[in-house]
Amino acid sequence: MSDYQELKDLALSCGFSHVGDLDADTIQVRPEVRESCAENKCQSYNKNWVCPPACGTLEECSQKIHQYKKGLILQTTGQLEDSMDFEGMMELAENHGKHMDRFSDEIRKRFPHALILGDGQCKRCKVCTYPDAPCRFPDKKSSAMEAMGMVVSQVCADNHIPYYYGPGTLTYVGCVLIE
Ligand code: SF4
């Protein structure tokens, strides 16, 4: 068994605000999440190798997730000026992406087969090669938790880590399944 306290410290050093244990057995994939992907509100559906439909069926995603037993939940929390602070939201999302990239690079050195899940489409390349050519960085690409069918707030609740940190805060969430 790996030293999870050391991995949590590593995650915090990459910039995350909060890190918690993730028990893969608690994770459920839900058809309604996949249906909401298909509505394309996030403009990522069918545009990226890590989003539906390219990321696989819900059953394939569930199989991928449940090859693992344990991992970490990774959160970046920030304070917004008000509910219309879109600049603050974008800045926070960008910071969370940077934390995910930093942590992914480190964790993959130790656990090359770790499954890393962020939020939104993969942003490793300015323009994704999908669907015309294979992924440029198959070892570095990462799906969103939602793309795999997860309800992020539920995953946090089932693993006893808050999702809401008080008025005016916003939290972006990712996770890694390690072993
Ligand atoms: S690494 Fe590049 S090509 Fe591969 S999924 Fe991410 S953005 Fe697309």
Side-chain angles (χ1 to χ4, degrees), residues 47-51 121-130 133-142:
K47 291 209 173 69
N48 196 286
W49 285 114
V50 302
C51 290
Q121 61 176 294
C122 177
K123 300 176 191 82
R124 281 269 169 185
C125 311
K126 247 184 187 163
V127 180
C128 185
T129 57
Y130 181 83
C135 171
R136 286 190 194 96
F137 304 109
D139 299 336
K140 292 190 168 178
K141 70 180 190 314
S142 61

Side-chain angles (χ1 to χ4, degrees), residues 40-126:
N40 199 20
K41 286 184 190 145
C42 66
Q43 309 286 310
S44 299
Y45 186 79
N46 203 20
K47 291 209 173 69
N48 196 286
W49 285 114
V50 302
C51 290
C55 65
T57 64
L58 212 49
E59 291 70 27
E60 287 165 341
C61 290
S62 179
Q63 276 175 14
K64 216 183 269 182
I65 290 165
H66 291 107
Q67 286 168 9
Y68 299 86
K69 283 283 168 208
K70 202 166 161 51
L72 295 174
I73 294 180
L74 310 157
Q75 297 179 331
T76 305
T77 301
Q79 189 78 36
L80 301 177
E81 283 177 16
D82 54 47
S83 60
M84 303 296 279
D85 182 10
F86 298 116
E87 209 175 294
M89 290 176 204
M90 282 170 67
E91 194 182 328
L92 190 61
E94 201 176 308
N95 286 339
H96 181 64
K98 284 181 190 159
H99 304 158
M100 290 297 299
D101 285 348
R102 255 182 239 146
F103 184 68
S104 303
D105 289 344
E106 288 302 321
I107 205 85
R108 280 179 170 133
K109 286 182 202 160
R110 301 166 193 222
F111 303 96
H113 301 296
L115 180 62
I116 295 158
L117 303 172
D119 72 292
Q121 61 176 294
C122 177
K123 300 176 191 82
R124 281 269 169 185
C125 311
K126 247 184 187 163

